[in-house]
Structures are given as C-alpha cells and as structure tokens.
Amino acid sequence: MRRHRGVLLTAALLAQLAAGPSHAAPAAGWEEAGQCGVVRSGDAPLGGAEVTLYQAGQGPGGRARVLARGRSGGDGRFSLDYRRPRDPRAVLYVLADLGRPSARAPQDGPAQDGPAQDGRTPDGPAQDGPVTLAAVLSGAGAPPELVVNERTTVAAAYALARFTGPDGVAGSSPGLQNGAALAHNLADTGTGGIAPLLASAPNGALTSTLAEFNTLANLLATCVSGDSCDRLLDLARRPGRERPRNTLLAAVDIAHDPGHNAAELFALAATADRYRPALPAAPDAWTVALRYDGNGHELDGPGNIAFDADGNAWVSNNYRYGPDPAVPVCGADTVLKFTPTGQDAPGAPYRGGGLYGAGFGITVDAKGSAWVANFGFQGRGCPLNPMPLERSVSQFAPDGTALSPREGWRGAGIVQPQGMAADRSGTVWVANCGSDSVARIPDGDATRAREIAVPGLHKPFGAAVDPAGRLWVSGNGSDSVQVVGPDGSPERTVTGAGLRRPLAVATDSRGNAWVSNSGILPVPCGDTTAADLADALGGEDGPRPGTSVTMIGPDGTAAPAPFTNGGLFLPWGVAVDGDDTVWVANFGGHRVARLCGVDLSACPPGVRTGEPISPPDTGYTSDGLERNTGIQIDPSGNVWLANNWRTVPLQANPGGHELVVLVGAAAPVATPLLGGGGGGRP
C-alpha cells in the first residue's frame, strides 16, 4: 500500500451536538466522555482520516447524529471528546473518511468547529471519496483504544447491513441494538483482529468463515491502497441499484446480495494480502455464517427456533447432549434460550413442564410465553419408553419458569406434536403428527384446548398463521395443506401443485403460504421412525424428485407449478423476511435457498416470484451447515438455522450441535411471529 506521511495533529476536535455549539455547557443528565483510537489498514497507520462519531438514528426514517469529529495524525491516532447520550441503548459508531486515495495526506492544524471542510454539516453523512472505514463502538465494552480498519468495517457492514444506507445508520429497537452487539462477534474493536467467537470453536479453523471474513477485509483494502476503488464499487453495486459511494457501502451491498459477482470480487480481493488466512478459492456467495453452540454441551439435535420480542432465540432440542454419536442418548429435557449474540440467556437452558424430546414445534405467543411440542425424540438404544412422554406440550414464562405441569399440557388429541404457531389474539396451534389432528389453545389457556379433526390430513407437520389469523398446516403423509379458520373450522384442503412430502409452512404479508416439499422425507411419527427417515436419504448424490417449494394464494389457489431452483436440495424449513423474500433450509447439501417473493421491488431486476436470488445451482452454501431443519429470521435481519442432524447420522445419537447464523442476510422482521411475512417489518 502507499504510506502517507504528514504532520501529526496534536489537537483533538471539540465535542459537537446537534442541539448547540461545541462549547455549550452539558445538559442535565449528560455525561462527558472521550474515546481515543487509531485508523489502520493492516498494520499500517492511516493519517489524515476525518473521524466522526455518530449516534445511530431511531426508527427507519431516523437520522444519524454527530457527537464528535477529529482527524487522525500521521500515526493514525485520533481522540474524540463527546457527551454520552442519555439513552443507554444508543448505538454509537465511528466512520473514518479518507477521501480519494490520491488526496489523503493529513493537513496541518486542528480540525475546526462548524461544518467540515469536506462539505458535511454536523448532522450530515460523509460525502467525500470512496475510502470509508467503520467500527461499532456500542454493543460491547468500549476498548481503551478503538481500532478502525477493514475488519471492523466488514463487521459493521454485515451486522448493520439492514440499517445502513447513504444517510448513515438508523433503525428500530431491538434489531438495531442487537445488530450492533453482533458486530463484536466478528471483529475485536480493541485490536482490529478477529473476535474471540469467530476465532474459536465451533468457528475458527472448523469452518471457512474466518478465512472468508479476512478475504472481505482484503477486498476493501484494495481500495484503501488506492489501486482498485472503481473496480470494487462497480462489482459491489447491486443490480438495479445506485453504485455505492464508498467502501463501507460497498460491503453493505455485498451483504445484501452476496451471490452477485462473487467470483469477480474474489479475484479482486486476491490482489491484496493484508489479512490471513484468506480463502483459497472463490465462494459461491459472500454470506458470513457464524456458528453458536451455547455452553458447548447443551445442543444436540436443535429442531426449530422462535424469537421473542427482544430478539432472543428459543430453541427446541431433540436429544440430551452427548458428544459421541455412537453412544445412545435419550430425549432432551430442556428448552434452550439464546441471546441475540448467541450466549445462554440468564438461567438457560430451562427444565420442567413435561419437556421430553422436543421436535420441530416451538413458538412464542403474544404474551411472550414460549411453547414447546414434546414429540418424544430419543436415540436408538435409549432404555426409556417414549410413549407416555410424547403426548404433551410445555409452556414457559419469558424468564424460563415452567408454566405447564410436571406432565405437560395434555389432551386435545396431542400425540407426537410437531409444528406450532401462535396468532395475535393469543391462540396457540399444535400439529398433532401422531393423531392426524390439530389442537387449538384459545388465549393460551391450555385448560380450554380442544382437538380439531381434519379428515384426510395425515401426519400434520408444519404450521403457520396468516395475517387473517387462519392456520395453514402441512400433511406430510397426505401430500396436502389444510387451512383452518381462526375459530377452528376447517376451511379448505389443498392438494396437487407439487405438494409431495411437505414439511414446513410460512406465510407472507399478503396471506400467501409457502410450503417446502422434501419429495422423499417421511416424518417419523405414527408408524414411521427416525431410522425410516435416515433410510430415505439413501446415497444423497443430489436433489431428489419432488424437491420444490409450493406457493398457495390466500384463496387456496396454488401457483401453476412449484418452484424447483435456487439451491433447493431437500427442503425442510421455510421463513419469510420483512421484504416477503422466501428462505429455505435444506436437510442436505449444506445450503440455503433464497427465492424472490411477491414483492418484486425487493428482488433483482427481471427476477420474478419464486425465482432464485441465491445462485441457481448451489444456493448459499456453507461448510458450517449440516442437516438443517428450522430456519427463522430475527429483528436484525440475521438468518438462523438449526444444525439438526449430523451429515452422516448414527441413530444412537444423530444430533447436530450448533445453530448457524447468516449475518445481515435478510430483511428484519417483527417478533414474535404472529401471522404473516415474518410478522412484518419491525
């Protein structure tokens, strides 16, 4: 890279507030604060950077606010004095603008009060050249010295991808705050290095994500060095969108459309060598996949995920944890709860309430209670008889206190329950896989639960509620989808339309239902076992006949043909994001499919409903994925997947041991899910 020499600036920028001039006395309740730091590219300091500390705007139309400005000296160091915002959840971030590579030499003298010389106003975003580096200051303890480099920029761009635009960072709570916290799982802002979570198991050398993250940092470094800015900004530009104006926005665009120009971006990144290890070959897409395993000895066969209003992830778990797949395990007696950054919530995991061998069924209701379906999963060789334990659902308060009795909530035809869903009125629904019926729990009052018999529905599995409060439930054994009215009245049965061994169901904001068709996978309830499901996998050399996704309109009319591309392999889980884009987890192939939904404005130009946004032949692949069942999207736009089974499952203990998060990949949703489009935009 070019090294820039100049006079070290010895004066720091005075604090500025939008409410008044920098010399105004602090308002009551405001605390004086300071932050020093250094701007670097690799190990080389970057002098002459205009460094600005911002408070992110609140709400989708919010405006980022300048708290302080300074300029880095010849050694890259800067100092900022500011008044700490009253709101303890305020998101703070730093931008270091170096302008065009040919005009980055530091200037003599301190920065001046008032409008910056590059044309910004105290509340305005940077407007100058393409080199902008970033670091998230909040969401973790502020380091004694903040490092701003390409790694911290990639971390900020991905974690806040859905909140960052040309006018700065802004968004709603809790998604904005959770995203800021997640940035610290990628980069260490105190060192500019890899964050501990990304650097160690179950990440680190066990997956390619660390090398991919470094390669993305190298990609930005090609512009910082002054050689390839135009090439970077051209390649990062999303189809049909404006060209990003700087390196930060280029990284944001890549996070939004990670499959676009993936090979060309890799070739450009290979021309820089700041950060190692880097990828040896181009990925199919630049998705950043983080693995979470909680305390390292609790996840064994995570089945599905449900988010509460704060963005915490409640996770159903098939088996009691066992590290050796050859040693038999019994059914899990815990429900897991992870914070938005992947740690155990206080007191988690939680026990009691009849929990045993939960499967795909988990939901959070309108009051914040978590409900878990006790399917009775256990590994081959467990000495327990599961039959008395597979006939209930469990309920937990937000703090993890069991609200259901010791034997769980029983009755209402609940036998081997699987999919669950909740609506805005407080009703909770259960798909009774073992009794070919649906249970309706009005107002979340299990003492009033009743069974709804649906003739022709065999092995009900997936469940979702639409914006009208209707339940959509898949029949894995009947190749059908049943629609049930809010009051429990069966309304219509949908068959054909490519429905073949259907599994999960999700609904969008317009009331359409999206159904995953595995083609071959029989769910293990009734007379079918987990071993039968394993046998159906066979050699698994590629996608199977019948693999597809079916779209059904609110009136029960299905699309003329199912959708069969975009990386679909063995579709299982389905989720719809805040843009009505459809995400599909696969029980094989180590991949996620992303399909254009009904909102064509959220899709690349020319891509129609049901067509792939992810690479058509591969989807978004990751060596961090195994056999995935559940897939859900959080309020920050992160896509969470459950590594349910190992790639080569031994039936004594086939369970996988991680959750996988695609950082910033989707449009955020409001949680908990209570009907339609992932709950809509937050």
Side-chain angles (χ1 to χ4, degrees), residues 405-679:
R406 184 176 180 179
E407 66 276 10
W409 295 120
R410 294 174 172 262
I414 295 174
V415 179
Q416 293 184 312
Q418 285 282 18
M420 301 187 78
D423 66 20
R424 292 181 177 88
S425 72
T427 297
V428 176
W429 300 87
V430 187
N432 297 324
C433 193
S435 61
D436 293 342
S437 67
V438 172
R440 180 176 183 269
I441 306 174
D443 301 318
D445 182 355
T447 65
R448 297 164 52 202
R450 68 182 179 94
E451 181 179 13
I452 299 169
V454 184
L457 181 67
H458 187 40
K459 295 188 177 180
F461 185 80
V465 173
D466 68 17
R470 301 180 302 172
L471 175 73
W472 296 72
V473 59
S474 64
N476 178 264
S478 50
D479 293 339
S480 65
V481 171
Q482 178 67 41
V483 185
V484 180
D487 63 353
S489 302
E491 291 189 356
R492 61 176 58 87
T493 301
V494 182
T495 57
L499 292 170
R500 186 169 177 182
R501 291 288 187 188
L503 291 170
V505 184
T507 59
D508 63 28
S509 67
R510 302 183 190 179
N512 302 292
W514 296 80
V515 187
S516 64
N517 298 303
S518 71
I520 62 166
L521 297 177
V523 295
C525 67
D527 56 357
T528 305
T529 67
D532 295 326
L533 189 152
D535 290 343
L537 295 172
E540 196 185 315
D541 338 69
R544 302 307 178 82
T547 291
S548 67
V549 171
T550 296
M551 174 186 165
I552 306 171
D555 63 355
T557 302
F563 307 116
T564 57
N565 46 22
L568 299 174
F569 194 94
L570 283 173
W572 193 301
V574 182
V576 177
D577 71 16
D579 284 340
D580 278 339
T581 299
V582 181
W583 295 79
V584 186
N586 288 280
F587 201 63
H590 309 278
R591 64 189 65 183
V592 179
R594 181 185 180 193
L595 308 180
C596 179
V598 293
D599 182 0
L600 300 185
S601 68
C603 306
V607 177
R608 314 303 296 175
T609 298
E611 294 180 345
I613 298 175
S614 53
D617 296 331
T618 63
Y620 298 144
T621 63
S622 171
D623 55 7
L625 297 171
E626 292 192 287
R627 296 190 180 277
N628 300 118
T629 50
I631 181 171
Q632 300 294 342
I633 297 157
D634 71 15
S636 300
N638 305 305
V639 180
W640 293 56
L641 298 110
N643 273 354
N644 179 249
W645 268 19
R646 297 170 186 260
T647 301
V648 180
L650 301 180
Q651 290 308 298
N653 177 12
H657 298 300
E658 306 92 14
L659 302 177
V660 182
V661 178
L662 305 184
V663 180
V669 302
T671 57
L673 295 186
L674 300 173

Side-chain angles (χ1 to χ4, degrees), residues 102-434:
S102 60
R104 282 192 262 120
Q107 302 173 4
D108 293 335
Q112 302 297 313
D113 295 342
Q117 297 302 309
D118 58 14
R120 292 171 298 184
T121 63
D123 288 311
Q127 299 292 336
D128 55 2
V131 180
T132 297
L133 301 179
V136 178
L137 187 59
S138 59
E145 181 175 78
L146 177 72
V147 176
V148 185
N149 65 9
E150 292 92 348
R151 278 177 173 151
T152 63
T153 305
V154 174
Y158 271 74
L160 294 172
R162 301 294 165 161
F163 307 105
T164 303
D167 294 326
V169 176
S172 300
S173 177
L176 175 65
Q177 289 76 13
N178 294 347
L182 179 57
H184 300 285
N185 282 351
L186 297 172
D188 185 333
T189 55
T191 65
I194 299 295
L197 188 141
L198 176 56
S200 58
N203 299 291
L206 298 180
T207 76
S208 61
T209 300
L210 188 155
E212 180 189 9
F213 183 75
N214 279 336
T215 307
L216 285 165
N218 285 334
L219 180 62
L220 301 190
T222 65
C223 179
V224 177
S225 69
D227 299 328
S228 304
C229 289
D230 287 338
R231 179 67 171 159
L232 168 63
L233 301 184
D234 287 340
L235 289 174
R237 177 181 181 176
R238 290 186 286 158
R241 308 283 177 158
E242 292 185 0
R243 184 181 191 248
R245 65 175 59 152
N246 57 46
T247 49
L248 171 63
L249 295 178
V252 169
D253 275 8
I254 295 168
H256 277 253
D257 194 352
H260 181 59
N261 288 335
E264 293 86 348
L265 288 165
F266 172 79
L268 179 59
T271 65
D273 194 25
R274 301 277 196 287
Y275 303 103
R276 298 181 181 179
L279 290 176
D284 56 66
W286 296 97
T287 48
V288 171
L290 272 180
R291 279 176 159 184
Y292 294 154
D293 66 355
N295 61 23
H297 51 268
E298 59 189 3
L299 282 165
D300 200 321
N304 205 354
I305 303 154
F307 292 101
D308 63 21
D310 294 324
N312 299 301
W314 291 78
V315 184
S316 58
N317 205 31
N318 294 172
Y319 313 106
R320 293 179 186 171
Y321 177 81
D324 188 342
V327 176
V329 290
C330 293
D333 59 356
T334 60
V335 62
L336 311 172
K337 182 181 178 183
F338 291 88
T339 68
T341 53
Q343 290 79 38
D344 277 343
Y350 308 122
R351 290 177 166 80
L355 276 173
Y356 188 79
F360 193 65
I362 188 166
T363 192
V364 176
D365 68 20
K367 297 178 182 178
S369 289
W371 296 75
V372 186
N374 297 312
F375 179 78
F377 267 115
Q378 57 186 33
R380 179 183 289 169
C382 171
L384 294 178
N385 177 10
M387 289 188 64
L389 305 170
E390 63 186 22
R391 297 172 178 267
S392 72
V393 297
S394 299
Q395 180 188 5
F396 292 85
D399 66 356
T401 301
L403 300 178
S404 48
R406 184 176 180 179
E407 66 276 10
W409 295 120
R410 294 174 172 262
I414 295 174
V415 179
Q416 293 184 312
Q418 285 282 18
M420 301 187 78
D423 66 20
R424 292 181 177 88
S425 72
T427 297
V428 176
W429 300 87
V430 187
N432 297 324
C433 193

